[in-house]
Amino acid sequence: MSDSRVPSVIQEWASSYPGQAHVLNSATPGQVGTTSQMVQMDMMSYSQSQGMMRSDVEDRVAEQIMGLSYLPYSTSCLSTTSKEEHVQLNMFVCAMQEFSPFLLPTLRAPVTKRSISKDSAEYRLRRERNNIAVRKSRDKARRRILLTQQRALQLQEENHKLQVRINQLTQELDTLKHILSQRHLQGSDDGAAAEPSI
Amino acid sequence: MSDSRVPSVIQEWASSYPGQAHVLNSATPGQVGTTSQMVQMDMMSYSQSQGMMRSDVEDRVAEQIMGLSYLPYSTSCLSTTSKEEHVQLNMFVCAMQEFSPFLLPTLRAPVTKRSISKDSAEYRLRRERNNIAVRKSRDKARRRILLTQQRALQLQEENHKLQVRINQLTQELDTLKHILSQRHLQGSDDGAAAEPSI
DNA sequence: ATATATTGCGCAATTT
DNA sequence: CAAATTGCGCAATATA
């Protein structure tokens, strides 16, 4: 249950280690026709073999690339979004981007405009930055939650103390009132109870 | 910031829709030697083309399958785990599992025992169940956090009221004490201040 | 040993 | 445009 990691302040920024080189071969050119075929093959094989379920995210991607939006957000009865399927579609999308000029020249522009190749260094840079931001944000959230819990406990404790104090004061007050009423009735022997010892 | 989804109770269980059939082609038999080659080919092509960075998770998977544990948990200087790489390794692992009897007969048992094919219906079933559990758990956490926040606010409010009450009582007490001291000195005019109107 | 619950993490969409 | 938030799925792990 408890977070057994290093202190958040350290951990939060310790995770800022640079993303590192990568040396991505940016879209090795050469086999165009063959690759586009491979892409289709891959898509079919995977989509068939794994059920081709899609998430809302993938819906939008597919929509962008093919103009298909056959399912509203979170209305799918088959929301079996696995990582594999996700990535498979991603791979397909990337390939489509690269070779869409040959396949769908008229639709290429809007497609290529929006999505960035998963192989690009730019993409990895963005991802790494976001990952860091996410870690940071979640650490912050964790700290916030912890603080709220501690504050609640602290308030509860203080509440109890205040309640005790109220009881003290009330009792003291009752005592004094009683004394006063007694004096009112009798009008004598003051000094004994003038200062309640409670 | 606010969760714009359906109420948690509904959402929590509305997501319990069954994972669905899939109709997986369970390891189409026939091409054994060729496929094992293809597996190796795939591994090399992907690992080479994308930098072959691995995550802690994939480390363990690879460790299981090949007995390699060349990197401690979260000590990698190249923590560029992309989804593609992950899945590619997964695919490789699955293939290895299927064909390891031919490649590594002695190591097969522990390997096949531990890891489950990503293509199996069993795997998808487990995943879907876990996804549901995760959603449920997170809804619960969200509710818990919200409740804690509300409780903190409530306690703070009550604290303030108690503080006010204490001030009232203290003042009242002071008044009574003052009256008593006055009486002690003078011993007259009781009824007027016997019941402070504060 | 199996099922569910919790947790850290990365991805993508969205927000700021 | 960059950073922050958020929902979500995966895998490891904890708990039951």
Side-chain angles (χ1 to χ4, degrees):
Chain A
M1 183 57 185
S2 66
D3 202 352
S4 62
R5 297 181 308 171
V6 287
S8 56
V9 183
I10 298 173
Q11 195 263 1
E12 179 170 317
W13 295 108
S15 57
S16 300
Y17 48 78
Q20 231 59 0
H22 284 331
V23 192
L24 299 170
N25 52 348
S26 54
T28 54
Q31 353 79 319
V32 174
T34 63
T35 317
S36 64
Q37 288 231 347
M38 188 198 77
V39 166
Q40 275 204 352
M41 217 283 296
D42 279 349
M43 175 186 71
M44 292 316 289
S45 64
Y46 282 123
S47 59
Q48 291 287 343
S49 67
Q50 296 212 355
M52 190 52 177
M53 297 302 94
R54 8 107 332 266
S55 68
D56 38 28
V57 173
E58 285 145 9
D59 272 343
R60 295 179 210 172
V61 175
E63 185 175 348
Q64 284 178 353
I65 225 176
M66 302 199 250
L68 299 176
S69 65
Y70 51 95
L71 278 175
Y73 187 90
S74 74
T75 310
S76 160
C77 59
L78 299 173
S79 64
T80 318
T81 309
S82 79
K83 233 58 205 209
E84 290 69 31
E85 293 149 3
H86 186 94
V87 170
Q88 284 145 19
L89 220 188
N90 279 344
M91 289 162 62
F92 167 64
V93 167
C94 287
M96 278 301 275
Q97 288 172 225
E98 283 188 21
F99 304 107
S100 57
F102 307 96
L103 299 173
L104 305 167
T106 58
L107 293 177
R108 177 173 48 116
V111 168
T112 345
K113 191 66 69 73
R114 269 276 157 254
S115 38
I116 300 157
S117 168
K118 302 277 185 295
D119 289 336
S120 72
E122 166 69 12
Y123 170 76
R124 278 319 315 164
L125 208 67
R126 285 172 183 277
R127 284 303 329 135
E128 200 61 32
R129 266 201 271 258
N130 179 248
N131 290 341
I132 291 168
V134 165
R135 286 192 284 260
K136 185 177 170 182
S137 178
R138 284 176 181 155
D139 267 355
K140 189 177 167 185
R142 268 189 284 268
R143 254 173 293 141
R144 189 160 34 81
I145 291 165
L146 212 68
L147 245 108
T148 303
Q149 289 176 340
Q150 289 174 348
R151 200 166 73 96
L153 282 176
Q154 190 178 329
L155 284 170
Q156 195 171 19
E157 196 178 329
E158 192 174 337
N159 239 342
H160 186 253
K161 287 180 183 172
L162 291 177
Q163 195 58 254
V164 167
R165 179 83 183 117
I166 284 178
N167 291 341
Q168 278 184 352
L169 291 174
T170 302
Q171 192 168 344
E172 196 170 342
L173 209 57
D174 284 348
T175 304
L176 284 194
K177 282 182 182 176
H178 182 256
I179 291 169
L180 271 175
S181 65
Q182 291 290 59
R183 286 201 180 192
H184 180 66
L185 293 176
Q186 300 174 0
S188 59
D189 53 289
D190 327 0
E195 210 67 19
S197 61
I198 300 175
Chain B
M1 182 59 180
S2 65
D3 202 353
S4 63
R5 299 180 308 174
V6 286
S8 57
V9 183
I10 298 173
Q11 194 263 0
E12 183 168 317
W13 295 108
S15 56
S16 301
Y17 43 78
Q20 232 57 3
H22 285 325
V23 192
L24 302 169
N25 51 349
S26 55
T28 53
Q31 353 79 318
V32 174
T34 62
T35 317
S36 64
Q37 290 231 346
M38 187 198 77
V39 166
Q40 276 203 351
M41 219 279 299
D42 278 359
M43 175 185 71
M44 292 315 291
S45 63
Y46 282 122
S47 61
Q48 290 287 343
S49 67
Q50 296 210 357
M52 191 52 178
M53 296 304 95
R54 10 108 330 268
S55 69
D56 38 28
V57 174
E58 285 145 11
D59 274 343
R60 296 180 209 170
V61 175
E63 184 177 349
Q64 283 178 355
I65 225 174
M66 301 201 252
L68 300 175
S69 65
Y70 50 95
L71 277 175
Y73 187 91
S74 74
T75 310
S76 160
C77 61
L78 299 174
S79 63
T80 317
T81 309
S82 79
K83 236 58 207 217
E84 289 72 26
E85 293 149 4
H86 185 93
V87 170
Q88 284 145 20
L89 219 187
N90 278 343
M91 288 160 63
F92 166 65
V93 167
C94 287
M96 280 299 276
Q97 287 171 225
E98 284 188 20
F99 301 108
S100 56
F102 306 97
L103 299 173
L104 306 166
T106 58
L107 293 176
R108 177 172 49 115
V111 168
T112 344
K113 191 66 68 76
R114 269 275 156 254
S115 40
I116 300 157
S117 168
K118 302 276 186 295
D119 289 337
S120 71
E122 167 69 14
Y123 170 76
R124 279 319 315 164
L125 208 67
R126 285 171 183 275
R127 284 302 328 135
E128 199 60 31
R129 265 202 270 256
N130 178 248
N131 289 341
I132 291 169
V134 166
R135 286 192 285 262
K136 184 177 170 183
S137 178
R138 285 176 180 155
D139 267 356
K140 189 176 167 185
R142 269 189 282 268
R143 256 173 293 147
R144 188 161 38 79
I145 290 165
L146 212 67
L147 245 107
T148 304
Q149 289 175 340
Q150 290 173 349
R151 199 167 72 95
L153 283 177
Q154 190 179 329
L155 283 171
Q156 195 171 17
E157 197 178 328
E158 191 174 338
N159 239 345
H160 185 253
K161 287 179 184 174
L162 291 177
Q163 196 57 253
V164 167
R165 179 83 183 117
I166 284 179
N167 290 341
Q168 278 184 353
L169 291 174
T170 302
Q171 191 167 344
E172 195 170 341
L173 209 59
D174 283 349
T175 304
L176 283 194
K177 283 181 181 175
H178 183 254
I179 290 168
L180 273 174
S181 65
Q182 291 291 57
R183 282 203 180 192
H184 180 67
L185 293 176
Q186 303 173 0
S188 62
D189 54 292
D190 332 357
E195 209 69 17
S197 60
I198 299 173

